[in-house]
Amino acid sequence: MTRTALVLCGGGPVRRPVPIPDAPLVVAADSGVVEAERLGIPVDLLIGDMDSAPPDAAERVRAGGGRVELHPAEKDSSDLELALEAARVRGVREILVVGGDRGRLDHLLANALLLAAPRFAELRVDAVLGEARLHVIRGERELEGRPGELVSLLAAGGPARGVRTRGLRYVLDGGDLLPGSSLGLSNEFSDERASVRVREGAILAIRPGGDAA
């Protein structure tokens, strides 16, 4: 069974190197197939309503041995949500989402929050969106960076209780991060390794990249 899924979504090209996992299950969410082709990655599953994928995308995926799962345009889940769920039910333990950061703000925010949805709580979820890297933190995670690199810690889906950090300039020592609070905004790596622990809840660690990194 494949342990890792690479999920590609739309939103324009990725503007930083993508750490492609070994032998992943590759799922393209609609126009994410364009990014897969740009990166030279064969697609195992193309999923979505195909409203933004090239007209011949499904044919190309099938010709390469992949499957296509077509959904109606009027549906209750976004194409990315369908792709994440498809990866989850196939038994993967880790998901890397790759896509752009252009287009509608509501889509970008919904995609970021979706990564921390409770039904994916048993999975290790990371993302590369445009120039930014995102990490979902439940329990404890160690992050590698460089001193001075920005990282923001935001509560996702509810309060994040008992947050403790090491290796960051501004230390959190058991306090809470609340939704809508800017307490965790614009922290910095003080070392090449940092750890974030949360007793209850979930945190989105966002590393903006670009000139801000």
Side-chain angles (χ1 to χ4, degrees), residues 13-34:
V14 175
R15 299 193 301 280
R16 69 177 307 132
V18 178
I20 304 299
D22 293 333
L25 168 71
V26 179
V27 183
D30 203 319
S31 62
V33 69
V34 175

Side-chain angles (χ1 to χ4, degrees), residues 8-193:
L8 298 114
C9 58
V14 175
R15 299 193 301 280
R16 69 177 307 132
V18 178
I20 304 299
D22 293 333
L25 168 71
V26 179
V27 183
D30 203 319
S31 62
V33 69
V34 175
E35 188 66 14
E37 292 175 339
R38 188 184 72 83
L39 294 171
I41 302 171
V43 172
D44 297 307
L45 174 64
L46 172 60
I47 190 169
D49 55 26
M50 308 307 155
D51 66 340
S52 54
D56 59 346
E59 180 181 343
R60 294 202 300 271
V61 168
R62 291 191 183 101
R67 295 180 55 245
V68 176
E69 189 175 306
L70 181 62
H71 289 257
E74 295 185 1
K75 56 189 186 301
D76 295 329
S77 301
S78 68
D79 293 327
L80 177 58
E81 186 170 359
L82 293 172
L84 292 173
E85 181 64 14
R88 186 188 70 82
V89 300
R90 283 163 172 79
V92 303
R93 303 305 302 161
E94 301 178 2
I95 295 178
L96 173 63
V97 176
V98 173
D101 57 1
R102 299 176 184 172
R104 289 169 44 179
L105 177 60
D106 54 344
H107 281 188
L108 186 60
L109 291 175
N111 287 347
L113 293 173
L114 178 62
L115 302 179
R119 68 180 175 281
F120 306 125
E122 299 303 314
L123 307 179
R124 179 185 174 107
V125 181
D126 299 287
V128 178
L129 300 177
E131 293 185 347
R133 284 181 286 178
L134 288 75
H135 313 279
V136 178
I137 300 175
R138 288 185 170 88
E140 184 173 11
R141 283 196 64 175
E142 187 173 272
L143 305 176
E144 295 184 0
R146 67 178 188 276
E149 180 184 354
L150 288 178
V151 57
S152 291
L153 305 178
L154 305 179
R161 306 289 189 189
V163 181
R164 297 182 182 275
T165 63
R166 287 187 295 107
L168 297 180
R169 179 179 178 184
Y170 305 110
V171 177
L172 296 173
D173 191 19
D176 298 340
L177 286 177
L178 303 179
S181 169
S182 59
L183 176 63
L185 191 66
S186 297
N187 210 325
E188 296 179 9
F189 281 80
S190 59
D191 202 342
E192 293 181 349
R193 292 180 181 273

